[in-house]
Amino acid sequence: AGFHDTIATQYTGLRAQQELEGQFVNVEGAEWPPEYFDDSVFFSAWPEALKCKVIAFDPSKGRADRHGDYSAFVVLGIDGDWNLWADADLDNQRPIEPLHGTGGRNAIDDGIALCLQHRPQAFVIETNGFQEMIAHAFARVARERGIHLPIYTICSTTNKEARIRSLGTYFAQRRCKIKDSVGGRLLVQQLSEFPEGQHDDGPDAMKMAEQM
């Protein structure tokens, strides 16, 4: 019962059926077949010989974003054979900066911690609209702490679904692995339900990282 309850809090909808009941779910209208996201897509330990590592952050605070959308970090590595290796940190209740007096999780602390852990060649932030201020906030806090962040920004002008759809080649050719973590499995959930799922913040951040 404890395991069931824990999984139930991490997954929603059709993905919960697959995780809890062993159903191999085919989401009607999904972009990619479910076999792209079976257990073979997961990895447990990062390869040692990655050629490059990038972290992308989608704040999901723009005008078009829905209530409950996730602030999404995706860590993406590429190896010598141009295979992708990814992990994600997705949170739908995480503020950008620390809330006064709470000391709880926030995107700036989490993003800086990820950069210190993975030492990426680039930390790319989506800056559509007022989101450019978020990049400035990351730079300010990192500077105050004496930390160098290799910040780059992307202002996305093309349709989000079209951007995410371009990742399909990697899955079709089995050239993408995703870490078997809570965030990685939530990323797989969003990918497997795209574009019919409630959220696509993880896939959007993954595309930003791949583009970088």
Side-chain angles (χ1 to χ4, degrees):
F3 172 78
H4 189 287
D5 292 344
T6 299
I7 293 297
T9 64
Q10 295 172 0
Y11 301 105
T12 59
L14 295 172
R15 187 68 181 184
Q17 295 176 26
Q18 182 164 314
E19 295 295 329
L20 297 172
E21 302 170 24
Q23 298 181 26
F24 201 50
V25 176
N26 188 5
V27 181
E28 184 176 356
E31 178 72 19
W32 301 299
E35 55 264 30
Y36 284 8
F37 305 107
D38 61 20
D39 283 345
S40 67
V41 79
F42 293 107
F43 72 94
S44 57
W46 285 97
E48 295 183 1
L50 291 175
K51 299 297 184 182
C52 180
K53 229 179 201 182
V54 170
I55 295 177
F57 178 51
D58 178 1
S60 294
K61 298 294 181 184
R63 291 190 182 94
D65 293 301
R66 296 160 291 193
H67 177 71
D69 277 355
Y70 289 78
S71 71
F73 291 98
V74 168
V75 184
L76 190 72
I78 188 166
D79 64 25
D81 295 319
W82 293 90
N83 299 306
L84 301 184
W85 303 78
D87 194 10
D89 180 337
L90 309 178
D91 193 318
N92 62 358
Q93 297 182 343
R94 172 171 47 197
I96 297 298
E97 296 190 75
L99 297 177
H100 182 68
T102 64
R105 288 192 68 186
N106 64 85
I108 289 183
D109 285 343
D110 288 355
I112 290 175
L114 282 171
C115 287
L116 291 175
Q117 176 186 353
H118 291 278
R119 301 291 179 179
Q121 279 77 20
F123 176 46
V124 58
I125 303 172
E126 187 175 58
T127 56
N128 289 26
F130 73 92
Q131 293 174 344
E132 185 173 356
M133 300 304 297
I134 297 173
H136 291 308
F138 269 101
R140 172 180 53 79
V141 173
R143 185 170 58 250
E144 291 171 352
R145 299 179 184 178
I147 299 169
H148 170 68
L149 292 184
I151 295 177
Y152 294 80
T153 60
I154 288 180
C155 183
S156 301
T157 57
T158 56
N159 176 268
K160 180 191 285 191
E161 287 190 7
R163 294 197 307 269
I164 295 172
R165 190 167 283 118
S166 68
L167 292 170
T169 299
Y170 295 99
F171 299 115
Q173 297 178 359
R174 298 294 196 267
R175 291 171 50 221
C176 181
K177 296 288 186 181
I178 297 175
K179 198 165 193 303
D180 190 2
S181 64
V182 172
R185 285 189 172 267
L186 187 50
L187 174 60
V188 166
Q189 173 187 336
Q190 293 186 1
L191 286 164
S192 65
E193 295 178 358
F194 171 80
E196 299 300 320
Q198 286 184 295
H199 304 288
D200 55 15
D201 314 287
D204 194 27
M206 184 175 177
K207 176 56 190 177
M208 280 198 297
E210 185 266 351
Q211 180 179 342
M212 190 74 215

